[in-house]
Amino acid sequence: MHRLFVALRPPAPIRDLLIDAMDGVDGARWQDEDQLHITLRFIGEVDSRTAEDAATALSAIRAALPPLRIAGCGTFETKGRPNALWAGIAPRDPLAALHKKIDRALIAIGLEPEHRAYVPHITLARLAGSAGPVDAFLARHAALTSPDFAATHMTLYESHLGHGGASYEPVARYPLTGS
């Protein structure tokens, strides 16, 4: 089985900016530099044939993105309790459109559609129930921003879960050109 997702990898200066912001929440499991990405579509666990079909379907996608930038911070919650801290990405609409193209391509090969609302972001930390309050972090980084950066390709990654968290292996790269 292969645990797959499609993502954009921000350039090193943007990753460095995010690493510098990661502090101030007791018990947060901060992401490593090599884990920082903008998920376009989580695929999940699939067999080898479906993984190959997904790779082929992704190769047919044509899209170009405008320059992107970091735009503030937020949380994802479960039952009113924060479970992740993230940095937002702007502009949202072009990323949402690319997410829809990817979703349609994967549905066409028999995968389930994405059911969650798409929020372009980079996960900064995972939060267990014992993690400290996040309000001060969110207030401090509410206006977090970055210089514009280009997204010239998207990558199909395989996620390997281990004791130290997930590691991500690039499987295929797809240029972002055309419409």
Side-chain angles (χ1 to χ4, degrees):
M1 295 300 278
H2 303 275
R3 189 172 192 261
L4 303 176
F5 65 94
V6 184
L8 304 172
R9 180 100 159 113
I14 303 303
R15 298 191 310 265
D16 291 344
L17 179 143
L18 295 172
I19 292 289
D20 289 346
M22 293 181 188
D23 190 24
V25 179
D26 291 337
R29 288 185 328 231
W30 299 103
Q31 298 290 89
D32 293 333
E33 183 274 338
D34 61 348
Q35 295 174 312
L36 298 176
H37 63 271
I38 304 163
T39 301
L40 293 169
R41 173 65 154 74
F42 181 71
I43 297 172
E45 293 211 4
V46 296
D47 60 29
S48 293
R49 180 176 198 85
T50 304
E52 290 172 15
D53 290 347
T56 300
L58 292 169
S59 70
I61 292 175
R62 299 290 172 258
L65 292 174
L68 304 175
R69 68 186 173 286
I70 302 298
C73 287
T75 61
F76 289 124
E77 299 181 353
T78 301
K79 297 181 181 176
R81 184 167 200 56
N83 61 26
L85 288 171
W86 50 260
I89 306 296
R92 293 175 143 214
D93 291 346
L95 288 167
L98 178 56
H99 166 78
K100 284 181 185 173
K101 283 184 178 187
I102 294 167
D103 199 42
R104 282 194 300 267
L106 296 174
I107 291 167
I109 64 161
L111 292 175
E112 286 290 314
E114 177 69 58
H115 295 292
R116 295 176 293 184
Y118 181 68
V119 177
H121 71 281
I122 298 173
T123 299
L124 302 177
R126 308 271 180 211
L127 305 171
S130 60
V134 298
D135 295 344
F137 177 89
L138 293 173
R140 190 169 58 252
H141 297 295
L144 183 66
T145 191
S146 72
D148 287 354
F149 60 93
T152 60
H153 64 276
M154 62 183 182
T155 304
L156 176 63
Y157 287 95
E158 183 164 0
S159 175
H160 303 282
L161 301 177
H163 293 296
S167 63
Y168 307 134
E169 174 188 356
V171 174
R173 285 174 52 149
Y174 308 94
L176 291 173
T177 57
S179 56

